[in-house]
Amino acid sequence: MGALYSGAVACAKTLPALWLLSDERNDSKLEWALATLPRENAFVFRHYHLHEKARRARFDALAAVARAGGHLVILSGSAEMARDWGADGIYGPPGKLGKLPGLIRLATAHSAFAIHRADRTEVDGIFLSPVFPTRSHPGGTCLGASLFRELAALAEAPVIALGGMTAERARELDWPRWAAIDGLS
């Protein structure tokens, strides 16, 4: 799955099952997590805590490990940055994804309104969160399995469960696609 995947629309129907998201908390484990992630899944590089030059260097290092595992590499950033950095796609709020040919567009959503907005902008997939309690938002509200399913049923694009996800919770939820920060690293 090379940079600027030309089949972004076709890929939307066959998005990978597992998605590893980067974060300051899991940075020291990312090489290991990417190397042990089953082949041909996906990596979303966020690393908001780094300044641009350091962020680009870290992206390049992790993208190389991800690509060695046959994983899609998605960047949280502008479409232009994703193109320039050689990412397969972009991740973020639906209104900030931009449109460049060849990039997979993945929206974040936390409500029915955000799902509707993502579908209106013709995204390839939607990260719906938080499904379960998370370490990143201790004490925050979560959707729970029932509301997650209700909201996911509204989406036209494939939905990826995010928030407190682990392999055990993914089995409980019985959902085909899920993502994690801590749960995969």
Side-chain angles (χ1 to χ4, degrees):
M1 296 189 185
L4 298 178
Y5 185 81
S6 61
V9 174
C11 182
K13 296 188 182 352
T14 59
L15 288 175
L18 295 176
W19 296 75
L20 172 64
L21 277 70
S22 78
D23 189 86
E24 184 175 11
R25 291 187 328 268
N26 69 355
D27 184 59
S28 66
K29 301 174 190 171
L30 285 172
E31 283 84 358
W32 172 85
L34 285 166
T36 59
L37 190 66
R39 289 193 59 77
E40 297 183 0
N41 280 290
F43 173 58
V44 178
F45 181 82
R46 299 179 326 158
H47 271 57
Y48 307 124
H49 64 286
L50 296 177
H51 294 288
E52 189 172 348
K53 194 171 188 176
R55 188 171 187 243
R56 174 65 193 263
R58 189 66 177 136
F59 172 85
D60 289 342
L62 293 171
V65 177
R67 293 204 190 288
H71 305 307
L72 287 175
V73 176
I74 307 299
L75 177 67
S76 179
S78 70
E80 292 77 14
M81 182 184 287
R83 179 198 58 213
D84 294 347
W85 288 18
D88 298 303
I90 52 178
Y91 162 97
K96 295 190 176 187
L97 291 176
K99 285 190 177 183
L100 278 178
L103 288 177
I104 297 167
R105 299 169 65 241
L106 300 159
T108 56
H110 311 287
S111 66
F113 175 79
I115 289 169
H116 178 67
R117 188 168 184 208
D119 282 332
R120 277 196 339 246
T121 59
E122 299 175 344
V123 298
D124 297 303
I126 300 170
F127 283 85
L128 180 56
S129 70
V131 182
F132 299 109
T134 68
R135 280 188 23 188
S136 56
H137 299 92
T141 60
C142 60
L143 300 171
S146 295
L147 182 54
F148 168 82
R149 287 183 179 288
E150 285 178 37
L151 292 173
L154 301 174
E156 294 172 20
V159 171
I160 302 155
L162 173 64
M165 295 299 296
T166 62
E168 182 179 329
R169 284 186 172 153
R171 281 189 297 277
E172 285 174 28
L173 191 60
D174 192 27
W175 196 257
R177 295 177 191 87
W178 61 278
I181 298 168
D182 298 322
L184 287 169
S185 54

